[in-house]
Amino acid sequence: MQRRFIRTATLAALFLFAVSAFGAPITLRVDATEAPRKIYHAELNIPATPGPLTLFYPKWIPGEHAPTGPVTDLAGLRFSAGGQTLVWKRDSVELFAFHLTVPQGASSVDVKLDFLSTPDAGGFSSAASATSELAILSWNQLVLYPRGKASDDVEVAAELRLPQDWKFGTALPVARTSGNSVQFKPVSLTTLVDSPVLAGRHFRRIELSPGATPAHYLDIAADSDEALNAPPDLVEKYGKLIREAGALFGARHYREYHFLLALSDQIAHFGLEHHESSDDQAREDYLTNPTSTIVGATLLPHEYVHSWNGKYRRPEGLATRDFEEPMKGDLLWVYEGLTEYLGWVLAARSGLVSPQLSREFIALTAANLDHRAGREWRPLSDTAVAAQLLYEARNDWESLRRGVDFYEEGALIWLEADTIIRKQTQGQKSLDDFCRVFHGAPGGGPQVKPYTFESVTEALNGIAAYDWKGFFDARLNRAGTDRGPLGGVEAGGYRVAYVDELSEAQRSTEQVRQNFSASYSIGLRLNPDGVIIDVLPEMAAARAGIGPGMRVTSVNDRKYSIDVLREEIRNAKSGGPLELIVANGKSFSTYKLDYHDGERYAVLQPNGQPTLIDDILKPLTK
Ligand SMILES: [Zn+2]
């Protein structure tokens, strides 16, 4: 703990005295002109002294909470010094480390490398991120640094060459541009890796807080010009998001902020947070199709919240000194869970999601976790500790395995915490007050202020005295709780109810994600072809013997479609049969489901208590 706090002070000091604290910088020249054919080239000059040298390729990627550095896609590695080729050897245990010997008389090593950018959309920043029209450049993919050096203590001067006529956005300070080349100001390796570049042929920059300091930009690159046409009222809501976040936290921890929004159907869809920007990747019609906009509405709020919760305030185990030290995810229910909660809240307060739709999305989350079969064996805290495994876990048997539940279940727990503070203080205080104390002043440039579990409960106790340790312990560390944490929904004035009509939230999500749920009736999630994504172990389909990976081909002798399945679930309510023919590899079997309760879709209904959830979702600003 001591070391972390010393580091924070060092980092702040470096900020004031910028360049002078470093020796000669690493120079990094990246050629991204071939990004459309999915290959980048880089040349580095790394200061070194004669003798053994080990260079390291970033392995543990901030925000991904896992050793996801794409080392398999590192190719064309060549080392030399003074024009003399150097022999290199990969470490046989730590495969991200490369050993070489710097010859006498040399003061630096020259490195050439290629990065092979995959077209495959599975994964995060190392997944598909370049198309014929745009590219998102993550510097960690193109850099080596002396092993063992803290990333705060390594300085890098980067230069980037882009395809002709492409524009770019980034939080990385620019020294100068010339033609299609950009020279960036020297920064620490920490800041470099924290500052991706979004570039593209179809590019638009929108100022979200005109005239205000710090400045906020929505930088958009898309696969087409049409996709840049965000409706003016949507842009107004993003502007309100900036104001609402300011009102929530009371201070900002960036010099300027860039939402780097890439819109394409050829890239991975996810968000990755940074101090002064976020890498936001979505469908090409994200801004122009209202259904897409709604389903992805929390993407920007979530990633933006991370500038405070995740980047500025970071769990001790995730505030690592370099890209080799393993990350510990035990507090991810704060890092991601609270961010998920505040992302919902800010999406509603800024008008990106209506209160009605917000309640519908909360209902979907609550119902999902309330039916998680894996609660029987796996405490929520274990999903956080095992995050680096669970991000990559398959969808089949997800209910039994549990996934990265610390996001959504974490959000429900923070909702409950919010209602407790409001009740304990007779409405005088709320979780907003916690955020101002924990994440707020003093503002300024990026810095990291690590925390522990005790720091969280202490800050909460400063707002409202309560047994917070016991509260979290009961929700985080116990297995065998067969129901989800719905205390916040109930104290918030609602209960999860099941009705026979799809909510707009579920309908929109299914339309965009092409993932259909009959989870709370017969216990199946399916894709459009009838392939079963997951079964809920205690429900009718699983009890009849159906499992993930099988494919429903017909329902009561009618060819499968999700509409046919839902219609037959309705018909079975009056006592009729529900017979599914299901393919399991090459064999077909008939399964008779004992189910007559009709369709069941989750919604929130008022429970007669004061509707605190509605108060929480109200904007703080005009
Ligand atoms: Zn997140």
Side-chain angles (χ1 to χ4, degrees):
M1 195 159 113
Q2 192 60 24
R3 186 171 63 82
R4 305 278 180 222
F5 283 98
I6 288 167
R7 228 189 103 232
T8 304
T10 313
L11 200 141
L14 286 177
F15 218 77
L16 292 173
F17 304 108
V19 176
S20 60
F22 300 105
I26 292 176
T27 61
L28 166 62
R29 296 165 62 163
V30 173
D31 176 359
T33 56
E34 293 199 291
R37 65 186 286 254
K38 299 180 176 54
I39 187 164
Y40 295 85
H41 314 286
E43 293 182 9
L44 295 100
N45 179 267
I46 302 175
T49 50
L53 173 68
T54 304
L55 296 177
F56 201 79
Y57 187 67
K59 177 179 183 179
W60 287 84
I61 305 306
E64 301 193 357
H65 321 309
T68 45
V71 72
T72 312
D73 294 320
L74 178 62
L77 255 190
R78 288 177 184 84
F79 299 95
S80 63
Q84 179 192 339
T85 300
L86 304 182
V87 173
W88 61 271
K89 202 167 176 216
R90 186 191 301 262
D91 190 273
S92 52
V93 174
E94 176 46 85
L95 302 178
F96 288 66
F98 300 89
H99 302 296
L100 41 129
T101 302
V102 182
Q104 287 305 319
S107 58
S108 67
V109 171
D110 292 305
V111 184
K112 286 188 178 185
L113 62 87
D114 300 319
F115 178 68
L116 315 174
S117 172
T118 177
D120 188 342
F124 301 102
S125 63
S126 61
S129 57
T131 75
S132 61
E133 311 302 311
L134 63 83
I136 305 106
L137 185 139
S138 302
W139 295 102
N140 61 283
Q141 299 171 350
L142 294 149
V143 74
L144 293 168
Y145 68 97
R147 185 182 196 180
K149 277 213 163 190
S151 56
D152 285 350
D153 298 340
V154 176
E155 193 189 27
V156 186
E159 194 179 321
L160 173 63
R161 205 146 67 86
L162 293 168
Q164 213 58 251
D165 302 324
W166 282 27
K167 297 191 177 69
F168 71 95
T170 180
L172 196 59
V174 173
R176 73 191 76 85
T177 59
S178 144
N180 60 336
S181 284
V182 191
Q183 177 84 53
F184 295 100
K185 291 182 181 164
V187 293
S188 72
L189 181 60
T190 308
T191 299
L192 183 78
V193 169
D194 193 47
S195 310
V197 178
L198 170 67
R201 193 188 313 281
H202 315 278
F203 195 93
R204 182 178 175 197
R205 166 167 291 182
I206 302 172
E207 271 210 68
L208 294 176
S209 56
T213 309
H216 298 82
Y217 303 99
L218 176 57
D219 291 326
I220 317 166
D223 270 352
S224 64
D225 280 332
E226 299 76 64
L228 302 174
N229 291 330
D233 68 314
L234 181 57
V235 172
E236 171 50 36
K237 288 168 187 169
Y238 288 132
K240 184 147 191 206
L241 171 62
I242 306 302
R243 299 194 296 279
E244 282 293 328
L248 173 62
F249 294 112
R252 305 178 193 272
H253 309 283
Y254 44 79
R255 296 163 292 181
E256 54 184 49
Y257 192 89
H258 294 254
F259 292 98
L260 304 175
L261 180 59
L263 304 178
S264 167
D265 297 335
Q266 328 296 326
I267 57 175
H269 295 155
F270 70 97
L272 186 59
E273 63 275 20
H274 302 285
H275 279 281
E276 303 184 290
S277 63
S278 51
D279 168 6
D280 306 299
Q281 307 190 23
R283 290 156 54 101
E284 188 176 341
D285 68 359
Y286 181 68
L287 296 173
T288 52
N289 173 349
T291 307
S292 272
T293 307
I294 283 295
V295 171
T298 58
L299 173 64
L300 271 57
H302 177 107
E303 301 310 333
Y304 186 39
V305 164
H306 271 317
S307 179
W308 290 265
N309 187 50
K311 288 303 185 181
Y312 169 50
R313 296 310 311 265
R314 198 176 309 170
E316 210 181 30
L318 295 174
T320 46
R321 72 184 292 276
D322 56 28
F323 303 107
E324 179 174 6
E325 182 183 345
M327 294 177 183
K328 299 183 196 79
D330 50 309
L331 288 175
L332 278 169
W333 56 274
V334 188
Y335 184 119
E336 293 295 357
L338 178 57
T339 300
E340 186 75 3
Y341 177 64
L342 296 175
W344 291 352
V345 169
L346 286 181
R349 289 182 183 173
S350 55
L352 288 163
V353 185
S354 69
Q356 167 67 19
L357 264 173
S358 295
R359 290 192 299 268
E360 291 180 9
F361 281 114
I362 292 171
L364 295 183
T365 296
N368 181 32
L369 292 160
D370 201 28
H371 287 81
R372 258 333 197 202
R375 318 180 63 80
E376 284 290 343
W377 72 273
R378 183 170 220 161
L380 183 67
S381 58
D382 185 63
T383 71
V385 171
Q388 57 186 281
L389 304 175
L390 291 174
Y391 277 111
E392 299 296 323
R394 302 180 312 272
N395 291 324
D396 51 276
W397 293 115
E398 183 185 81
S399 183
L400 185 56
R401 176 190 293 114
R402 305 197 80 172
V404 286
D405 291 0
F406 51 86
Y407 281 80
E408 294 196 327
E409 191 161 327
L412 290 179
I413 291 171
W414 285 103
L415 167 64
E416 190 173 0
D418 202 347
T419 61
I420 289 171
I421 296 173
R422 286 166 194 257
K423 290 201 164 172
Q424 293 292 105
T425 62
Q426 284 80 43
Q428 296 302 301
K429 297 274 174 74
S430 72
L431 197 67
D432 297 0
D433 295 280
F434 166 79
C435 290
R436 269 189 291 279
V437 168
F438 198 71
H439 302 96
Q447 60 166 309
V448 185
K449 206 173 157 194
Y451 62 81
T452 60
F453 175 70
E454 286 68 30
S455 339
V456 175
T457 53
E458 264 171 41
L460 282 166
N461 268 316
I463 304 300
Y466 193 72
D467 177 18
W468 292 110
K469 205 169 172 301
F471 170 82
F472 288 118
D473 182 55
R475 285 154 187 78
L476 293 168
N477 299 325
R478 314 255 172 95
T481 52
D482 61 341
R483 312 310 305 197
L486 303 186
V489 171
E490 280 148 21
Y494 291 90
R495 67 169 157 263
V496 180
Y498 296 89
V499 297
D500 56 12
E501 244 181 83
L502 286 170
S503 63
E504 189 190 338
Q506 185 170 347
R507 192 187 310 281
S508 305
T509 305
E510 292 192 351
Q511 196 180 323
V512 170
R513 304 255 156 90
Q514 292 290 296
N515 174 335
F516 303 98
S517 172
S519 295
Y520 315 123
S521 53
I522 59 173
L524 286 185
R525 281 201 299 129
L526 315 94
N527 77 14
D529 303 325
V531 174
I532 294 159
I533 300 165
D534 198 15
V535 298
L536 270 58
E538 299 303 318
M539 311 285 277
R543 284 203 313 269
I546 295 174
M550 299 180 184
R551 183 167 59 86
V552 180
T553 62
S554 72
V555 186
N556 290 346
D557 294 331
R558 299 172 66 196
K559 185 172 184 291
Y560 166 84
S561 72
I562 187 63
D563 291 334
V564 164
L565 176 60
R566 284 174 168 163
E567 196 181 320
E568 294 300 331
I569 290 173
R570 276 199 296 280
N571 292 341
K573 199 174 179 180
S574 47
L578 194 54
E579 285 188 15
L580 275 54
I581 297 180
V582 176
N584 186 4
K586 288 180 178 176
S587 84
F588 289 78
S589 306
T590 301
Y591 294 89
K592 294 184 179 175
L593 274 55
D594 182 17
Y595 181 79
H596 305 284
D597 291 331
E599 292 184 280
R600 296 178 83 238
Y601 302 110
V603 293
L604 292 193
Q605 289 177 346
N607 65 2
Q609 305 275 329
T611 51
L612 284 183
I613 287 181
D614 296 8
D615 296 344
I616 291 168
L617 300 178
K618 276 184 196 140
L620 302 179
T621 65
K622 292 212 185 72

